Amino acid sequence: MSAAALKCLCCGSSSVVEEDHYTQRQMVCVDCGAVASEGALTHDTFEGTDISYSRTTAVSKKPCLNQRKGLQRLTALCRVLRVNSEIERIASEYFARAYEHESFLKVSLQKKEILVGCCVLASCRQLNWPVSMGTIGCLLEADMAMTGAVYQEMMKVLRLEVPHISVSDVMESHCKEYKISSLDVEECFAEDHRDIQQRALSLIELAADSWIVTGRRPVPLMMATVYLAWQSLNPTLVRLNVSLPKFCRIAKVRQNQTAAKRVGEIKTVLCKLGKEIPWVTDPVTSANVVRYVDDIVKNRYALLRRALRSHEQAMQEESQLCCEKGNPSEQENQTLRTTNFHSEKSKQPGEGSEFKAHQDLEPNWGKRMVFAPPCVIHAKRRRAVTESLEGVTGHEEISDSEIESYIRTPQEVREFALAQKAWLSQTDQNKCE
């Protein structure tokens, strides 16, 4: 319908003009502005470029509430650890990538919170910032096993390569967590964290030489060395009487349950080396070995050599004493082991069952060494390997000798009859009572 034939329905005016409203053509009254007629999008032609629906409605995806909370927690962790802006930026990128991955979409909120700490840990290790996994787990108050599992999964998902750090790299930051300066504690307990760090690093090196560091978590080991370093720098009676739990309360740190075991292991090594000090005449025990830590640390290599030499001499004297008494069991065992080893090499696989049984019965060699890995000293008992009974149906014939082994001898028959008679008499007596 043309514009001249139209009239406005509101005012009755015939002055109606055609007007384009965006992409739709309409008939509008000039006098009152009312719409007299409007076209349809499907019938009107529009000469212009086609624009897709997705482009006209596209908006940037905003992070969800949990992701925003995770970023806030990440920023708070970086502020607590006092890392630079580069580490915070890299950690934020890792968290954004990991959060959108399918491995972390449908997990609990606890794992997503741990993921924040794992991203910070990975970025710190890439830029050589000394932070341990135990520190991250303590700040997040999370389980260490779960933290390690999330960290390994994140490294696999993001395909990151992070350099491994040693215990000595994070010792400085770990020592600063202990509030034992003169401003925090009494004068008898106060100590400079630099001196503690230096002494603790020396004890860590000594522990590494004696296999204590092998396969161990760093946080309990660092806590044990800091505690012994604090005692040894001023070995007064007041400090020697302070236990590890009390020291943690004084220093305002949370005690690790495994640290007490590490303290005992390090004291055992210190006692072995303290006995080799030439100018020490008193017996060295775990109660007074802290007094000699300074001398042990300064002469560590010489004392290690003396301890190894003394142990070898003691083993030789013991073997000679056994030979003089006519009990050459050790030599016979050594000869048997050597003979069986050479014979085992010449046999086919599966023919050396006697040699394997002898290996299982052999005593733990770690207990005969002055220094050995903990997994050797405290070796777990291996389960006996049962041979698979292939082809056994249960219908095999039983030999006469095996049948005779199940038959009681006349003496066993008499003993069994006497025991049964005594049991019956005792039963009758109890019934009468």
Side-chain angles (χ1 to χ4, degrees):
M1 187 179 291
S2 62
L6 285 177
K7 289 186 179 181
C8 181
L9 299 176
C10 297
C11 61
S13 175
S14 58
S15 56
V16 178
V17 296
E18 185 178 357
E19 184 180 9
D20 291 337
H21 182 69
Y22 294 100
T23 59
Q24 186 178 7
R25 295 180 179 179
Q26 298 177 343
M27 300 295 181
V28 182
C29 177
V30 179
D31 297 334
C32 65
V35 177
S37 176
E38 56 183 347
L41 290 173
T42 55
H43 297 91
D44 295 341
T45 59
F46 176 71
E47 298 178 0
T49 58
D50 297 333
I51 302 175
S52 62
Y53 176 78
S54 59
R55 288 180 58 187
T56 56
T57 58
V59 292
S60 58
K61 186 177 180 181
K62 296 181 180 179
C64 63
L65 179 62
N66 292 331
Q67 188 174 0
R68 291 198 299 269
K69 287 183 178 180
L71 291 173
Q72 292 174 1
R73 190 64 187 271
L74 187 146
T75 305
L77 273 179
C78 294
R79 295 294 182 271
V80 171
L81 297 173
R82 298 181 180 180
V83 299
N84 52 37
S85 58
E86 182 68 16
I87 293 178
E88 184 177 352
R89 182 186 63 80
I90 295 175
S92 301
E93 293 179 359
Y94 289 162
F95 179 71
R97 289 169 53 190
Y99 194 90
E100 298 294 336
H101 197 271
E102 58 182 3
S103 301
F104 296 101
L105 283 179
K106 298 180 180 180
V107 296
S108 61
L109 292 177
Q110 184 182 8
K111 283 191 175 182
K112 290 182 179 180
E113 187 175 2
I114 295 175
L115 179 63
V116 173
C118 294
C119 294
V120 175
L121 178 62
S123 59
C124 287
R125 287 186 174 181
Q126 283 185 338
L127 297 182
N128 296 324
W129 193 274
V131 176
S132 65
M133 186 175 294
T135 304
I136 297 295
C138 182
L139 291 175
L140 295 176
E141 297 182 354
D143 182 36
M144 291 305 302
M146 185 180 295
T147 304
V150 173
Y151 180 76
Q152 294 294 334
E153 188 174 1
M154 184 205 69
M155 298 290 292
K156 183 179 179 181
V157 165
L158 300 183
R159 298 179 181 179
L160 300 179
E161 294 183 0
V162 177
H164 295 282
I165 60 174
S166 61
V167 180
S168 57
D169 296 334
V170 297
M171 181 59 74
E172 181 180 359
S173 60
H174 182 78
C175 291
K176 290 181 180 180
E177 297 178 2
Y178 295 83
K179 308 299 180 182
I180 49 178
S181 62
S182 57
L183 300 176
D184 300 320
V185 295
E186 300 177 7
E187 189 64 28
C188 59
F189 298 136
E191 200 67 52
D192 188 10
H193 74 274
R194 297 184 184 87
D195 298 335
I196 292 180
Q197 176 188 349
Q198 185 176 1
R199 178 60 59 83
L201 284 175
S202 302
L203 291 174
I204 287 289
E205 293 174 359
L206 177 62
D209 294 337
S210 55
W211 294 94
I212 297 179
V213 183
T214 306
R216 299 298 180 79
R217 293 182 179 180
V219 175
L221 190 61
M222 289 189 294
M223 181 172 289
T225 53
V226 168
Y227 168 65
L228 293 175
W230 174 78
Q231 282 188 329
S232 63
L233 287 173
N234 189 11
T236 59
L237 188 61
V238 177
R239 290 196 182 186
L240 293 179
N241 290 333
V242 175
S243 61
L244 179 62
K246 186 177 180 180
F247 170 73
C248 294
R249 289 195 299 269
I250 293 173
K252 298 179 179 61
V253 295
R254 188 172 64 178
Q255 180 192 358
N256 190 287
Q257 299 298 328
T258 319
K261 187 183 295 185
R262 300 292 170 265
V263 171
E265 293 174 352
I266 296 175
K267 279 189 175 182
T268 303
V269 174
L270 292 174
C271 288
K272 292 179 180 179
L273 299 181
K275 295 176 182 178
E276 303 297 331
I277 301 177
W279 56 87
V280 175
T281 57
D282 298 334
V284 180
T285 61
S286 59
N288 62 355
V289 71
V290 180
R291 300 178 185 271
Y292 309 109
V293 169
D294 190 19
D295 296 330
I296 293 173
V297 168
K298 289 180 180 178
N299 306 280
R300 179 173 79 248
Y301 298 111
L303 294 177
L304 284 171
R305 288 193 295 268
R306 285 176 63 94
L308 293 173
R309 194 179 303 116
S310 300
H311 184 71
E312 291 176 359
Q313 293 176 359
M315 294 292 291
Q316 290 178 0
E317 292 176 358
E318 184 180 354
S319 61
Q320 291 177 1
L321 186 61
C322 292
C323 293
E324 291 175 359
K325 289 183 178 181
N327 184 21
S329 59
E330 185 65 28
Q331 290 184 352
E332 290 179 359
N333 290 336
Q334 182 67 26
T335 306
L336 181 62
R337 286 195 295 268
T338 307
T339 306
N340 286 333
F341 175 73
H342 291 294
S343 63
E344 176 69 16
K345 291 176 65 177
S346 61
K347 289 183 178 181
Q348 296 295 330
E351 297 182 359
S353 58
E354 296 85 358
F355 176 66
K356 292 180 181 179
H358 177 74
Q359 274 188 328
D360 295 337
L361 296 176
E362 184 181 359
N364 188 2
W365 64 268
K367 295 182 179 180
R368 301 193 303 269
M369 307 297 294
V370 61
F371 300 116
C375 61
V376 176
I377 298 176
H378 308 288
K380 297 181 179 179
R381 292 186 178 181
R382 297 181 180 178
R383 294 183 178 179
V385 180
T386 58
E387 297 181 358
S388 59
L389 302 176
E390 297 180 357
V392 178
T393 61
H395 300 287
E396 289 77 14
E397 295 183 358
I398 301 176
S399 61
D400 295 338
S401 59
E402 186 176 357
I403 293 175
E404 291 176 357
S405 64
Y406 294 115
I407 301 175
R408 293 191 181 98
T409 61
Q411 183 180 358
E412 292 175 346
V413 171
R414 287 193 298 270
E415 291 177 354
F416 179 76
L418 291 174
Q420 192 175 17
K421 184 178 179 181
W423 179 75
L424 290 174
S425 62
Q426 183 69 24
T427 306
D428 295 339
Q429 186 180 357
N430 293 336
K431 289 181 178 179
C432 293
E433 293 178 356

